Amino acid sequence: MNRLGMDPRPTDSAFSFLSKGWRDVRDSADADLQLMRARANSFKNRADRELENFINSAASVSGTTSNGHTSSFLAVPASASIAELDFVKRISPKLSEFKKAYSSPDFSKKVLEIWSPNSKIGIDLSAIRTALVSSEAEANQRILDMDWKERRRLMWKMAEKEEEEWELFRRLKTGFREFEKKREAGEILESLKNSEFLEKVKLSLNSFRVDSSHTKEVPPLDASELLAYLVKQSVPLFDQLGLKRDIYEKIVDVLCSKRKDHLMSQSFSVEDLEKHGTNDELDYRIASVLQSTGHRCEENILDRNVQTDKKRHFAIITTASLPWMTGTAVNPLFRAVYLAKASKQNVTLMVPWLCQSDQELVYPNSLTFGSPEEQESYIRNWLEERVGFKANFKISFYPGKFSKARRSIIPVGDTTQFISTNEADIAILEEPEHLNWYHHGKRWTDKFNHVVGVVHTNYLEYVRREKNGYLRAFGVKHVNNLVARAYCHKVLRLSGATQDLPKSVICNIHGVNPKFLKVGDKISAERELGQTSFSKGAYFLGKMVWAKGYKELLDIFTKHKNDLDGFKLDVYGNGEDANEVQSASRKLDLNLNFLKGRDHADDSLHRYKVFINPSVSDVLCTATAEALAMGKFVVCAEHPSNEFFRSFPNCLTYKTTEEFVEKVREAISNDPKSLTSEQRYSLSWEAATQRFMEYSELDKVLMNDDNNDEEMSKAIRRSHGATRNMKKSVSLPNLSEAIDGGLAFAHFVLTGSEVFRLSTGAIPGSKNYDMQHSKDLNILPPQVQNPTYGW
């Protein structure tokens, strides 16, 4: 009933009638008893007042008769008191006895016992009133002397007299009940009339109507259309084979060209075909044929396991963790903070746990942790110092191992098993290709309602720099395509520098640490006061490995050694290639000053005026964004990874090494401009989180937006005219999903083979975690678990 928009009312009419009738009888009996007590008290008080009035009147009357003589009955001296009157003396004993009799509590108690409702019939109030008003001692005594049989007979007689009074009352009560039922029925009808229920029923009935004239106009599919649709649904397979999109789109156009004349004859204009293309028309043809046969299918519900009355849960899984100062450790951490800050969803950040031996290889300054709790405390302290508030999100760990060959942390075992089913709602895979290269476990899209991948690294660029790099890059490219398609619903690429993955869009969803924006505000305020803000020249900061721009840096300084004479660059960084980089710089006699790596927020870096970043392997350089937030000049290559920063006036890009020299001189000789409020906001994590929600389509997921298909069908109907009112069917055979599932199954089978894993560079024994992980994380030993992957 509540779903129809009506007020909540009792549904069990029988129960409600009996309970209401019983309450009426009980309330009536209580009211009768209260009335009896009130009448008894009223009678007693009235008798007292009458007696007092009588006595006072006797004392105040002068006793003079009409003939002027004094009456002997009332003649009293003026000074005599009331107690000295002969009349009062004579009646005082009787009055005392009478008053004592009717004022006794036992009298009222006995009367009430006589008239207590031993039966469930009404009480004759007139009889009670007569009995109470009678002040004769004989009547009172007779009532007190009655036995229970006489009282019972008297009550039955009074009940017969009262029956006539109750009959009128019952008629009134029946009338009220009938009126109430009629009113409730009227309200029900009125609410039904005004609710959406009837509208939905009408729409449902209308949907059953079949327009015979329209169905007759829908011709069956011919062979060329079936073949064209098969080609279109096989796009994932063609992508894996490396075929370009233009090739199979042309194939579809050729196969459907025979139908164009026929489509235009059915109210399609040339403009419609040019606007929507052959692919859209093919979809519409399939939908028309399916619906003409009466085939229907319910829509897929995205949040199939989530109750809408509960908060959604985000699980952010990343491939690195502090104190390793890398992008995949810092950026997912801030993403968790600002997603949790909105208080609209619960957030869990999952980071890899390394055993003691691997920690010594990865974490700087020989920093290690004895337990996950120690590392979590370190992460939270570091974070609170930079954001200035306590973030309300959960940190959990999964087993990982450090690969020296890949210089990265690889998950071991099935990472999905470390996320409870209750929290498996929305997954954010930071570096989905990296997380799933050797993933052997449950499919992410099977366990989670929505899976978003965030691509951080241009792995193809790194692989090409290795031995046989282009051949290996070819294999890595197709593996990345496979895992992204099989395990993600949506993929976000930070810039165009990354590989073009399936289901992907380009958007910068990273912000900068609020501390850098505060530094920029401070410097801007100093400049307004006329103070010198920058006392140092140029610097470069990055992990000291060749792929992070050090090769490009040394090449530029070697080529333009004379042009850059007198220009000194401070280089901050630690890394595996530090000795080789520094040794090469010394041999070339370059004006580079190498210093130990430090946090970009360190006070010693605030006064530099220019940040140099020659790297072309980055996807989106976090250090570049931080330097711009601090109000510095940035000199960087004109590259897709820097596309987001080109709108900032302090970002100076170059195409050639000669332009690099010009931009450096321009930055040294000028002062950077202060950031506007819009530019400042675009660099913040608030803006980055907003972009993330929009481009990942999570804003629609959180709002349970299930109307996308309906809106699309409306647009198609508007573009094709009122005569083509058939909406696009959701029953279309989706070969894309079947192919994705097949790719996921093939990947699962291959990663289950230890031979295949080792041949592709996996860490030996990484199919499952070891006993040390079991002890550190307090989880079941690997030989005890028996996961079910649900294939």
Side-chain angles (χ1 to χ4, degrees):
M1 298 286 282
N2 290 340
R3 289 193 296 257
L4 302 181
M6 298 183 297
D7 296 335
R9 295 189 178 277
T11 55
D12 298 335
S13 58
F15 264 138
S16 63
F17 173 79
L18 292 175
S19 61
K20 187 175 181 182
W22 167 246
R23 288 195 300 269
D24 292 340
V25 173
R26 184 183 62 187
D27 296 340
S28 177
D30 293 339
D32 291 342
L33 290 177
Q34 294 292 337
L35 183 59
M36 290 168 59
R37 293 189 181 94
R39 290 295 177 86
N41 293 331
S42 176
F43 170 73
K44 183 173 64 175
N45 295 334
R46 183 176 181 182
D48 290 337
R49 289 194 301 270
E50 291 295 334
L51 180 60
E52 292 177 0
N53 292 337
F54 175 76
I55 294 173
N56 293 334
S57 63
S60 61
V61 173
S62 63
T64 304
T65 62
S66 60
N67 56 8
H69 299 284
T70 305
S71 172
S72 60
F73 178 75
L74 296 173
V76 293
S79 60
S81 62
I82 295 175
E84 294 175 357
L85 295 175
D86 295 336
F87 172 73
V88 176
K89 290 179 180 180
R90 286 194 303 271
I91 68 175
S92 291
K94 294 183 179 181
L95 290 175
S96 301
E97 293 177 1
F98 181 74
K99 186 175 182 180
K100 182 177 180 181
Y102 75 75
S103 63
S104 174
D106 295 334
F107 177 78
S108 300
K109 183 177 180 181
K110 290 179 180 180
V111 172
L112 293 177
E113 289 177 354
I114 293 172
W115 300 109
S116 60
N118 293 327
S119 64
K120 294 185 179 180
I121 61 175
I123 300 175
D124 189 355
L125 300 179
S126 62
I128 296 174
R129 184 175 62 253
T130 304
L132 292 174
V133 171
S134 177
S135 60
E136 295 181 2
E138 293 82 1
N140 294 335
Q141 189 64 35
R142 182 170 61 82
I143 293 173
L144 292 174
D145 293 340
M146 281 184 181
D147 58 5
W148 67 274
K149 292 182 179 180
E150 293 176 348
R151 290 199 301 272
R152 179 70 66 179
R153 283 194 296 271
L154 180 61
M155 292 175 66
W156 279 110
K157 289 180 181 180
M158 290 186 293
E160 291 176 358
K161 295 179 181 180
E162 189 188 10
E163 186 66 26
E164 298 178 358
E165 300 176 0
W166 274 94
E167 182 63 26
L168 178 60
F169 177 73
R170 280 196 288 271
R171 289 180 181 178
L172 289 173
K173 184 179 286 188
T174 304
F176 281 126
R177 286 200 188 98
E178 292 178 355
F179 174 75
E180 185 176 2
K181 290 180 180 179
K182 291 180 180 179
R183 185 183 66 177
E184 181 176 344
E187 291 178 356
I188 292 174
L189 293 176
E190 186 67 23
S191 61
L192 279 173
K193 190 179 299 182
N194 297 329
S195 67
E196 298 179 359
F197 177 73
L198 290 181
E199 296 298 328
K200 293 182 179 179
V201 171
K202 291 178 182 178
L203 292 175
S204 299
L205 293 176
N206 290 334
S207 66
F208 286 116
R209 294 190 305 172
V210 179
D211 190 354
S212 59
S213 63
H214 180 71
T215 56
K216 291 179 181 179
E217 294 178 359
V218 180
L221 297 173
D222 57 22
S224 61
E225 288 177 322
L226 290 174
L227 183 58
Y229 195 76
L230 179 62
V231 171
K232 182 178 178 181
Q233 292 294 314
S234 302
V235 168
L237 182 60
F238 294 150
D239 287 342
Q240 291 301 129
L241 296 176
L243 294 178
K244 294 183 179 180
R245 187 177 299 270
D246 295 340
I247 296 177
Y248 50 77
E249 285 181 352
K250 290 180 179 179
I251 294 175
V252 173
D253 290 338
V254 171
L255 292 172
C256 294
S257 61
K258 297 180 180 180
R259 297 290 301 179
K260 285 188 178 181
D261 295 336
H262 185 66
L263 289 172
M264 285 190 293
S265 65
Q266 297 182 1
S267 73
F268 284 96
S269 63
V270 178
E271 291 77 9
D272 290 334
L273 291 175
E274 292 178 353
K275 179 179 179 181
H276 299 284
T278 307
N279 288 331
D280 290 341
E281 299 303 332
L282 179 61
D283 288 339
Y284 189 84
R285 278 280 296 135
I286 300 293
S288 301
V289 173
L290 285 174
Q291 290 193 2
S292 67
T293 61
H295 180 68
R296 294 181 178 275
C297 177
E298 293 184 357
E299 296 182 1
N300 293 327
I301 305 300
L302 183 61
D303 50 347
R304 55 189 180 275
N305 297 326
V306 180
Q307 300 179 2
T308 56
D309 57 342
K310 294 184 179 179
K311 293 178 68 175
R312 307 301 294 267
H313 193 101
F314 283 44
I316 303 175
I317 303 94
T318 186
T319 57
S321 176
L322 296 179
W324 191 11
M325 297 299 297
T326 185
T328 52
V330 176
N331 290 309
L333 179 60
F334 281 107
R335 195 181 334 277
V337 171
Y338 285 90
L339 283 174
K341 186 179 180 181
S343 300
K344 295 181 180 179
Q345 54 271 330
N346 297 320
V347 179
T348 298
L349 176 65
M350 296 190 64
V351 297
W353 168 257
L354 300 178
C355 297
Q356 192 82 14
S357 56
D358 284 339
Q359 292 183 34
E360 295 174 354
L361 297 175
V362 178
Y363 299 150
N365 303 321
S366 302
L367 184 61
T368 58
F369 305 98
S371 66
E373 291 76 16
E374 290 183 16
Q375 188 169 359
E376 179 179 354
S377 178
Y378 175 89
I379 294 172
R380 292 192 182 277
N381 292 335
W382 183 91
L383 185 63
E384 185 175 350
E385 181 182 351
R386 282 152 181 80
V387 299
F389 60 87
K390 289 187 178 181
N392 184 22
F393 70 97
K394 176 183 176 183
I395 297 179
S396 62
F397 294 82
Y398 67 87
K401 290 185 177 181
F402 181 69
S403 172
K404 294 181 180 179
R406 298 181 181 271
R407 297 177 179 177
S408 58
I409 299 173
I410 305 296
V412 294
D414 180 12
T415 309
T416 64
Q417 67 179 319
F418 299 98
I419 306 171
S420 65
T421 304
N422 295 333
E423 297 180 348
D425 182 10
I426 297 172
I428 303 172
L429 305 183
E430 308 281 351
E431 293 198 318
E433 68 277 55
H434 186 158
L435 286 169
N436 292 297
W437 280 332
Y438 304 106
H439 175 71
H440 182 71
K442 193 174 184 66
R443 188 181 176 190
W444 293 95
T445 53
D446 288 341
K447 183 162 185 175
F448 288 84
N449 298 309
H450 195 66
V451 181
V452 179
V454 180
V455 179
H456 290 252
T457 308
N458 187 0
Y459 286 105
L460 298 184
E461 182 65 25
Y462 286 108
V463 173
R464 291 191 187 102
R465 296 169 182 263
E466 300 175 359
K467 186 178 181 180
N468 300 323
Y470 283 91
L471 179 62
R472 299 181 63 180
F474 176 81
V476 172
K477 174 183 178 181
H478 289 281
V479 171
N480 291 346
N481 278 336
L482 187 152
V483 295
R485 179 178 294 279
Y487 296 118
C488 297
H489 292 112
K490 195 74 176 179
V491 177
L492 300 182
R493 299 158 55 200
L494 298 179
S495 72
T498 59
Q499 175 185 344
D500 186 8
L501 294 171
K503 308 176 185 178
S504 66
V505 294
I506 298 174
C507 180
N508 174 21
I509 56 171
H510 286 175
V512 299
N513 186 335
K515 193 171 183 179
F516 294 105
L517 293 172
K518 292 180 180 179
V519 173
D521 294 340
K522 179 181 177 182
I523 291 176
S524 178
E526 291 176 354
R527 292 180 60 189
E528 291 180 358
L529 296 175
Q531 300 177 6
T532 302
S533 301
F534 301 108
S535 57
K536 298 181 180 181
Y539 72 107
F540 173 56
L541 180 143
K543 185 179 180 181
M544 201 167 291
V545 293
W546 286 112
K548 282 292 185 179
Y550 286 91
K551 183 179 184 301
E552 291 80 4
L553 181 67
L554 266 61
D555 289 343
I556 292 175
F557 271 77
T558 301
K559 184 176 181 180
H560 297 280
K561 186 175 182 181
N562 296 329
D563 297 330
L564 295 173
D565 186 26
F567 175 73
K568 182 179 180 181
L569 181 68
D570 293 337
V571 180
Y572 295 88
N574 299 321
E576 294 83 356
D577 298 333
N579 293 332
E580 296 180 12
V581 172
Q582 295 178 25
S583 176
S585 177
R586 286 193 296 268
K587 289 180 180 179
L588 296 172
D589 192 22
L590 302 179
N591 198 7
L592 300 177
N593 181 30
F594 291 94
L595 302 168
K596 289 185 178 180
R598 62 191 64 184
D599 193 337
H600 204 179
D602 192 275
D603 294 340
S604 61
L605 302 177
H606 293 175
R607 298 302 171 181
Y608 280 99
K609 184 179 180 181
V610 183
F611 176 73
I612 304 293
N613 182 18
S615 175
V616 292
S617 63
D618 288 326
V619 171
L620 186 79
C621 184
T622 304
T624 298
E626 293 169 348
L628 288 173
M630 289 189 287
K632 304 177 187 298
F633 273 124
V634 173
V635 178
C636 58
E638 187 170 324
H639 188 262
S641 61
N642 298 318
E643 187 66 28
F644 177 79
F645 306 121
R646 293 185 63 184
S647 61
F648 292 84
N650 293 336
C651 180
L652 308 177
T653 60
Y654 63 91
K655 293 182 180 179
T656 63
T657 57
E658 289 76 14
E659 288 187 4
F660 172 83
V661 177
E662 294 177 4
K663 298 298 181 180
V664 168
R665 290 174 178 173
E666 178 182 350
I668 294 296
S669 59
N670 295 286
D671 290 330
K673 296 180 180 180
S674 299
L675 294 176
T676 64
S677 57
E678 293 80 6
Q679 294 168 350
R680 188 183 186 281
Y681 176 74
S682 65
L683 291 172
S684 68
W685 266 105
E686 287 85 357
T689 304
Q690 183 179 357
R691 293 192 296 266
F692 170 77
M693 297 296 292
E694 177 183 354
Y695 281 83
S696 64
E697 300 180 355
L698 286 176
D699 52 350
K700 296 180 182 179
V701 174
L702 295 180
M703 292 187 299
N704 296 318
D705 187 2
D706 297 326
N707 299 322
N708 294 337
D709 291 336
E710 182 64 23
E711 293 298 328
M712 185 184 298
S713 64
K714 289 181 180 178
I716 293 175
R717 288 198 299 271
R718 286 194 298 268
S719 63
H720 296 301
T723 58
R724 299 294 297 261
N725 57 0
M726 182 179 296
K727 73 175 183 179
K728 188 175 179 179
S729 174
V730 294
S731 310
L732 296 175
N734 197 334
L735 296 181
S736 178
E737 293 183 1
I739 293 175
D740 292 349
L743 293 174
F745 178 73
H747 183 261
F748 175 81
V749 173
L750 292 174
T751 54
S753 170
E754 188 66 18
V755 175
F756 175 82
R757 297 172 68 92
L758 294 177
S759 63
T760 54
I763 300 175
S766 62
K767 185 178 177 181
N768 208 340
Y769 56 85
D770 53 25
M771 289 298 298
Q772 188 60 47
H773 282 115
S774 176
K775 293 178 181 178
D776 294 344
L777 297 175
N778 194 23
I779 55 180
L780 291 175
Q783 64 271 18
V784 175
Q785 55 176 334
N786 183 22
T788 302
Y789 301 119
W791 291 103

